[in-house]
Amino acid sequence: QLQLVESGGGLVQAGGSLRLSCVGSGRTLRNYDMGWFRQAPGKERDFVASITWSDGSTDYTDSVKGRFTISRDIAKNTVYLQMNSLKPEDTAVYSCAASPTGRNLRNRYDYAYWGQGTQVTVSS
């Protein structure tokens, strides 16, 4: 069973930066493509970014392009989300997820494993 644990969330002022980490245990992340999602209060869980494990191809939702960067460290079995130029509308619980390769990484239902989430709050 793959377990995912996120960390790095917190309170930051608008314009600031945070780096989220997602550490996998129990299985190697080499068998999965990875994604970050976020859920604001009263809203659905939305796609933020994804990365394929095979070649590191990345994808981002339009609202974070140029500000967020997803990356992975194979040796550490970890995926990161670097978030710069944060805005109040980025406030949400951020969760990482693992998907068997070849799925639609923008679709939350194509992910098999989820972390518990980490809160990101951006003040204006």
Side-chain angles (χ1 to χ4, degrees):
Q1 186 80 357
L2 174 64
Q3 294 181 330
L4 302 172
V5 178
E6 304 96 335
S7 62
L11 173 64
V12 64
Q13 290 186 332
S17 298
L18 286 173
R19 188 177 82 155
L20 305 184
S21 299
C22 172
V23 180
S25 63
R27 291 182 180 178
T28 175
L29 293 182
R30 294 177 184 271
N31 297 326
Y32 301 93
D33 296 329
M34 300 297 295
W36 284 97
F37 287 75
R38 65 186 179 186
Q39 187 170 21
K43 296 188 177 181
E44 293 188 349
R45 181 177 285 177
D46 291 330
F47 170 78
V48 176
S50 65
I51 186 166
T52 61
W53 210 256
S54 58
D55 62 2
S57 297
T58 59
D59 185 27
Y60 300 91
T61 192
D62 286 346
S63 63
V64 308
K65 285 181 180 177
R67 300 189 298 122
F68 291 11
T69 303
I70 188 171
S71 62
R72 87 270 202 238
D73 186 325
I74 295 174
K76 294 183 178 180
N77 221 34
T78 301
V79 176
Y80 303 98
L81 186 67
Q82 177 67 44
M83 306 186 295
N84 299 327
S85 302
L86 283 161
K87 304 175 181 180
E89 51 263 43
D90 294 320
T91 295
V93 175
Y94 285 71
S95 300
C96 68
S99 174
T101 56
R103 303 291 180 89
N104 177 2
L105 296 181
R106 285 182 171 241
N107 182 359
R108 63 183 185 267
Y109 298 109
D110 275 341
Y111 287 82
Y113 300 97
W114 290 85
Q116 83 288 352
T118 185
Q119 176 70 46
V120 171
T121 303
V122 184
S123 63
S124 58

